[in-house]
Amino acid sequence: MWEQLPALAGVVVGAAGSYVATSLTERSRWRRAKAERWDQRRLDVYASYANALKHQLNIAQRMGAARGFQHAVDPLDPEEGLAQIVEAEARRAAEWESVLLIGDAETIAAARRWHEAVWNVELYARGQKHDPAGWEKAVRRMSLARDAFYGLARRDLGITGPPPPSGSWPRAWQHEDDAESADESAAADAARP
């Protein structure tokens, strides 16, 4: 019997080693799967929030177009738009709760700066602010806030590579006609005696 003790000990050690290795492998696989689920959930939350906020901004810009602000298209009557913007804000606020639950601190702060910048654009759309230069500045600030949110959301999701090109607004092509008109006016003024 004592001769079989080393063989029995070898079997016990082998079984214990096999159990530990299998347990660690399964634990690692479970953690990896959990991390993937949370990454997917964060992506869904960030995308849903961004879409809700973009919808709200679109309504505000359309209302701004009706008020005559530059670089805004597809005018929407402000009275009609007001009801839509209230509904869009309610959707954004509901999506915001998910961002607060799942986002990292820096991405949450960037999301907050973005929706506050959209609210500032809304003040012009609602007729509470009237300065066309202020409108342009508010929309540019909103565009920068959006870019910052996307950059931090991509980092939180572990997306490598450069961020997408800036959505700086108004876009360069929107100023081309203004520059051409100014050049034509200057040429016409120079041609006058």
Side-chain angles (χ1 to χ4, degrees), residues 22-51:
T22 301
S23 178
L24 291 174
T25 300
E26 286 301 314
R27 183 176 291 161
S28 176
R29 186 178 300 145
W30 180 82
R31 285 183 182 153
R32 199 169 33 254
K34 180 181 172 188
E36 288 173 7
R37 283 193 309 271
W38 280 109
D39 284 347
Q40 182 61 49
R41 183 67 183 131
R42 269 197 312 276
L43 172 63
D44 293 344
V45 165
Y46 289 158
S48 186
Y49 181 76
N51 287 328

Side-chain angles (χ1 to χ4, degrees), residues 108-176:
I108 290 169
R112 181 175 281 123
R113 284 189 298 274
W114 185 19
H115 72 240
E116 288 172 351
V118 168
W119 290 344
N120 193 36
V121 170
E122 281 184 22
L123 293 176
Y124 290 90
R126 291 171 182 257
Q128 295 171 340
K129 291 185 176 183
H130 308 283
D131 177 36
W135 164 264
E136 295 277 336
K137 187 175 179 180
V139 174
R140 263 194 306 279
R141 203 172 320 135
M142 179 281 312
S143 182
L144 292 172
R146 182 193 61 225
D147 290 348
F149 168 76
Y150 281 121
L152 288 166
R154 287 170 56 88
R155 189 188 74 191
D156 186 31
L157 294 167
I159 299 172
T160 57
S166 175
S168 296
W169 195 92
R171 306 296 285 176
W173 63 266
Q174 291 174 306
H175 290 292
E176 288 174 2

